Amino acid sequence: MKKMKMQSLNVTGSNIDKIAKLFPQCVTERKDKDGKTVQGIDFEKLRDELSADVIDDGEERYQFTWPDKKSHAHLANTPTNKTLRPCREESVDFDHTQNLYIEGDNLDVLKVLRETYLGKVKMIYIDPPYNTGNDFVYNDDFSQSVDDYQENSGQTDEEGNRLVQNTESNGRFHTDWLNMIYPRLKVAKDLLMDDGVIFISIGDDEEANLIKVCDEIFGERNFIASICHKHRASVSNDRIISENHNHLLFYTKDINLLFSKQKSIGEDPVLEGFNLEDENGKYKLTPVDGPGGAKKGNPYYEFLGVNGYWRYSKETMQDKYNRGLIVRTPNGLQQKYYLSQAEHSRRTVTTWWDDDFLTSTATKQLADLMDGKVFDNPKNVNLLLRTLKMITKFESDSIILDFFSGSATTAHAVMQLNAEDGGNRKFIMVQLPEKTDEKSEAHKAGYKNICEIGKERIRRAGRKIKEEAGLQGQDLDIGFRVLKLDSSNMQDVYYTPKEFTEQDLFADNVKPDRTAEDLLFQVMLDLGVELSATIEQRTMDGKQVFFVNDNYLVACFDTDIAEDTIKEIAKLKPYYFVMRDSSLASDNVADNFDQLFETYSKDTIRKIL
């Protein structure tokens, strides 16, 4: 029986394993800070292997850097022992929903999610705090301790999160913002599917720097566009030129994979004018001559007695003609363009300049929904709908992540689009529970932090969407599981390196204030089980037993588990079985534990906390 690691993925260790596969001769052993022998990389040998491509110290190279960049890149790779604890009382339809609302610092949350959701997220949208001189809260325990920062500035919340007055006069105007966003984007990239995409809303203040950061993290070749959209209709007099736009940076994880699906990316096509029909369906005629002629490199040749510049090679033209796709008309040679082709041909442009995305409209709509102005400058639902339709039109069961959730516009848009097209998109919202100002309308309305606003917005929007769509009683997931970031469920000694004897192996190491369901969710994270998985609770011989995704994971965290209970669980042949290391009723049960599973379900993977 193996002990569970109960912490997030160690990316540095994972990278060492990757290097070891490519250059095993560069792997060596060293002592870590606890005196334990671990694998390491001999950089001198690795340098020799890559000598033709290694840049020497001091050699000029193209790079984008700022103070503390290296330490914050390292921060993205370090594991965390934190976990997510379920909160049923604040959830909606906890047992059936596939949506998640997670409260906590998004860097730690992303690390916790990294292994379970590695390569599973189709689309990320974020609207990070703009670097406009306002306060923004983020967790940075790498560059200095909380005590040091409190001594220097006194600006932390009760959880130790830094509240940075990021004015241009503080000398780190860009640095603080870049150190906040850089590690979060690094971790977020790992969650994306290979053909997944990320949209980032940003103003002029940091757009240039954010493009450089994203070029480094996602690769310059994976930049798709900087979409410019109208966000305000009024004219401001406090600037030389009134700024009425925002940017929406659009990157993908692998442009080759996304490009192969380009006909499924974009807005709904125009399906008018298909007034002709043959045995293959409705069609319309479109040109085959090459626009721009020789200037555009179109080939010139004679075809069917007509000389001209054509948009296809002579071989392709002949193939199209043989298949009946090229026809003579009074306007010359034309080709058949079928409705079925148009339905899968989707395009969009980089300027979204109608009034569908105004912040003022979004503010009013949210105020109407929430019975008061409880959130400043929310994103317009239409902006999210447009991006969702672009990316998930034909993948309507996708996972959508927003780790700067704010007022939860993204969740609202996901539910709205599912209601419109019958999709089953799932959202994961992540938001730090920042306190509302005591003088704000939100605070006066009873919302003590931003998370309370976001959760209530999802509740109200879900009910409204379902009612307006006439879907009462029908399948539309408007629920969400609330999970809250917290310290590990395990005592600190759990993570202290030591050699375990048989007696040590079954010693209790769970914090006394943690519930069985708390333990279950940390186990799910550790085993890579999605946090939206179905969970059933049964009573077996008086013990509470959890069944996750049917028999995939069976867990029991009660004490005094008898041999008969173990036997009944083994007969169910789960893929995983997990229990506390102090769960078994006696030494005799512990001695017979493995034999029972070998007899009834030898392939079950058995783990203990």
Side-chain angles (χ1 to χ4, degrees):
M1 194 184 324
K2 294 183 178 180
K3 200 172 183 69
M4 302 188 71
K5 59 183 178 63
M6 303 295 275
Q7 67 175 196
S8 69
L9 179 67
N10 184 339
V11 177
T12 300
S14 176
N15 289 337
I16 290 174
D17 291 339
K18 293 174 184 176
I19 293 174
K21 290 181 181 179
L22 293 173
F23 305 104
Q25 68 275 24
C26 299
V27 178
T28 184
E29 294 181 348
R30 64 178 181 83
K31 297 287 187 181
D32 66 9
K33 62 182 181 181
D34 298 308
K36 184 179 178 181
T37 301
V38 296
Q39 274 193 335
I41 299 297
D42 186 328
F43 274 94
E44 288 300 319
K45 287 186 178 180
L46 184 60
R47 184 184 180 89
D48 291 340
E49 293 291 335
L50 303 172
S51 57
D53 300 308
V54 172
I55 298 174
D56 292 327
D57 290 342
E59 184 179 345
E60 293 181 349
R61 82 289 302 269
Y62 176 80
Q63 61 180 326
F64 177 55
T65 191
W66 61 87
D68 300 330
K69 177 182 179 182
K70 185 180 293 186
S71 64
H72 283 78
H74 177 69
L75 183 62
N77 291 339
T78 56
T80 179
N81 295 335
K82 292 187 177 181
T83 190
L84 299 175
R85 300 177 67 185
C87 182
R88 280 181 172 267
E89 58 271 23
E90 296 178 21
S91 304
V92 174
D93 198 19
F94 185 97
D95 288 321
H96 302 101
T97 185
Q98 294 183 297
N99 301 316
L100 303 175
Y101 189 98
I102 304 176
E103 298 185 23
D105 182 275
N106 51 18
L107 180 56
D108 281 317
V109 172
L110 289 169
K111 289 181 182 183
V112 168
L113 295 179
R114 177 155 45 189
E115 194 165 6
T116 299
Y117 288 90
L118 189 71
K120 293 183 179 180
V121 174
K122 178 64 180 181
M123 176 179 142
I124 296 174
Y125 169 80
I126 57 171
D127 181 19
Y130 291 6
N131 203 8
T132 58
N134 296 320
D135 295 341
F136 62 94
V137 178
Y138 65 96
N139 182 22
D140 179 2
D141 58 5
F142 188 91
S143 59
Q144 59 180 315
S145 71
V146 172
D147 289 341
D148 288 341
Y149 192 79
Q150 286 176 329
E151 183 178 345
N152 292 337
S153 69
Q155 296 184 58
T156 60
D157 67 12
E158 62 183 10
E159 295 181 347
N161 298 310
R162 291 176 59 185
L163 178 59
V164 179
Q165 182 69 38
N166 200 44
T167 60
E168 292 189 57
S169 62
N170 76 0
R172 293 173 59 92
F173 181 69
H174 294 295
T175 293
D176 280 337
W177 193 87
L178 289 167
N179 284 334
M180 179 276 294
I181 199 68
Y182 188 73
R184 287 157 174 80
L185 289 178
K186 279 199 64 157
V187 183
K189 179 190 175 185
D190 291 342
L191 274 62
L192 281 178
M193 299 171 65
D194 288 339
D195 64 347
V197 305
I198 183 170
F199 291 96
I200 308 174
S201 284
I202 197 69
D204 286 342
D205 307 89
E206 291 292 347
E207 190 212 10
N209 284 334
L210 184 58
I211 286 175
K212 291 185 177 72
V213 166
C214 289
D215 282 350
E216 182 172 316
I217 293 174
F218 297 98
E220 187 175 353
R221 63 190 293 274
N222 293 316
F223 169 73
I224 305 298
S226 176
I227 297 166
C228 186
H229 71 87
K230 186 176 181 179
H231 89 100
R232 62 183 295 179
S234 59
V235 176
S236 173
N237 295 320
D238 60 354
R239 305 190 71 165
I240 295 174
I241 296 179
S242 181
E243 180 185 299
N244 64 342
H245 70 278
N246 272 336
H247 302 278
L248 190 62
L249 296 189
F250 179 14
Y251 280 79
T252 182
K253 192 170 182 180
D254 188 328
I255 196 168
N256 290 331
L257 290 175
L258 189 69
F259 192 79
S260 68
K261 295 184 176 182
Q262 63 172 326
K263 291 186 177 181
S264 66
I265 303 296
E267 299 174 81
D268 290 340
V270 176
L271 303 179
E272 300 171 354
F274 291 85
N275 53 1
L276 301 172
E277 190 169 1
D278 63 14
E279 65 277 6
N280 294 318
K282 292 184 177 181
Y283 69 91
K284 64 181 177 180
L285 296 174
T286 61
V288 288
D289 57 308
K295 291 182 180 179
K296 296 294 185 180
N298 294 297
Y300 182 88
Y301 55 87
E302 178 186 339
F303 192 77
L304 298 182
V306 181
N307 288 299
Y309 291 97
W310 308 104
R311 62 181 63 199
Y312 306 111
S313 68
K314 195 168 186 176
E315 292 76 17
T316 300
M317 286 282 281
Q318 187 63 51
D319 178 66
K320 284 179 170 286
Y321 178 75
N322 293 342
R323 291 189 289 131
L325 301 179
I326 305 293
V327 297
R328 292 180 183 273
T329 74
N331 296 322
L333 298 181
Q334 292 188 290
Q335 63 179 327
K336 296 179 179 180
Y337 181 53
Y338 287 94
L339 177 63
S340 58
Q341 294 173 271
E343 288 173 340
H344 292 280
S345 180
R346 309 173 74 234
R347 298 288 185 271
T348 192
V349 294
T350 58
T351 306
W352 298 358
W353 210 249
D354 47 38
D355 291 337
D356 287 350
F357 314 117
L358 297 180
T359 301
S360 58
T361 304
T363 301
K364 183 181 184 306
Q365 290 174 342
L366 182 58
D368 290 343
L369 180 68
M370 303 293 287
D371 299 322
K373 186 180 178 182
V374 297
F375 194 89
D376 293 330
N377 303 317
K379 277 293 176 284
N380 197 303
V381 172
N382 289 328
L383 181 68
L384 273 298
L385 283 172
R386 186 160 179 175
T387 59
L388 286 167
K389 289 177 182 178
M390 281 176 59
I391 303 302
T392 68
K393 175 75 173 182
F394 300 109
E395 297 179 68
S396 59
D397 60 348
S398 302
I399 296 175
I400 316 299
L401 169 66
D402 183 344
F403 54 90
F404 285 97
S405 174
S407 67
T409 302
T410 302
H412 189 153
V414 168
M415 294 186 297
Q416 180 69 52
L417 186 54
N418 283 342
E420 291 178 8
D421 67 6
N424 188 35
R425 299 166 187 85
K426 283 82 70 174
F427 64 73
I428 302 176
M429 300 293 103
V430 183
Q431 176 60 44
L432 185 72
E434 301 173 43
K435 290 182 178 180
T436 55
D437 191 300
E438 292 184 2
K439 298 178 182 178
S440 67
E441 288 189 40
H443 192 86
K444 293 174 183 177
Y447 300 107
K448 299 300 187 291
N449 60 58
I450 292 179
C451 291
E452 292 183 3
I453 297 172
K455 288 178 290 188
E456 183 60 19
R457 192 241 181 106
I458 299 173
R459 294 184 192 106
R460 295 189 183 203
R463 292 193 297 266
K464 187 172 184 287
I465 289 167
K466 199 163 186 176
E467 180 180 346
E468 290 180 348
L471 294 173
Q472 298 299 331
Q474 298 182 38
D475 290 336
L476 176 65
D477 189 354
I478 59 172
F480 54 94
R481 283 181 178 173
V482 174
L483 305 168
K484 298 188 179 186
L485 187 74
D486 205 337
S487 62
S488 173
N489 295 311
M490 316 308 292
Q491 302 279 10
D492 291 340
V493 68
Y494 182 92
Y495 300 101
T496 303
K498 61 179 287 189
E499 296 297 325
F500 288 98
T501 65
E502 284 296 317
Q503 288 73 29
D504 294 326
L505 195 63
F506 292 94
D508 193 13
N509 45 40
V510 176
K511 291 177 180 176
D513 64 332
R514 301 305 166 95
T515 69
E517 202 160 54
D518 289 338
L519 298 177
L520 178 67
F521 272 81
Q522 189 164 7
V523 165
M524 289 165 64
L525 284 167
D526 201 66
L527 298 179
V529 179
E530 291 188 11
L531 300 175
S532 58
T534 58
I535 300 171
E536 180 188 355
Q537 298 182 41
R538 302 180 198 168
T539 300
M540 300 179 67
D541 295 328
K543 305 299 180 185
Q544 182 186 35
V545 182
F546 294 95
F547 292 80
V548 180
N549 282 347
D550 296 324
N551 278 16
Y552 182 75
L553 164 63
V554 176
C556 181
F557 306 112
D558 286 354
T559 58
D560 297 322
I561 299 177
E563 190 169 304
D564 287 344
T565 308
I566 297 298
K567 183 189 298 184
E568 290 305 307
I569 291 173
K571 287 180 178 179
L572 296 173
K573 301 185 184 302
Y575 187 83
Y576 284 110
F577 173 66
V578 181
M579 66 179 185
R580 293 171 67 157
D581 43 10
S582 60
S583 288
L584 299 180
S586 65
D587 291 341
N588 185 55
V589 178
D591 292 340
N592 293 332
F593 178 88
D594 281 325
Q595 186 57 47
L596 288 170
F597 270 94
E598 287 298 315
T599 301
Y600 296 102
S601 184
K602 63 183 180 63
D603 293 328
T604 293
I605 300 172
R606 295 145 254 168
K607 291 180 176 288
I608 58 171
L609 304 186

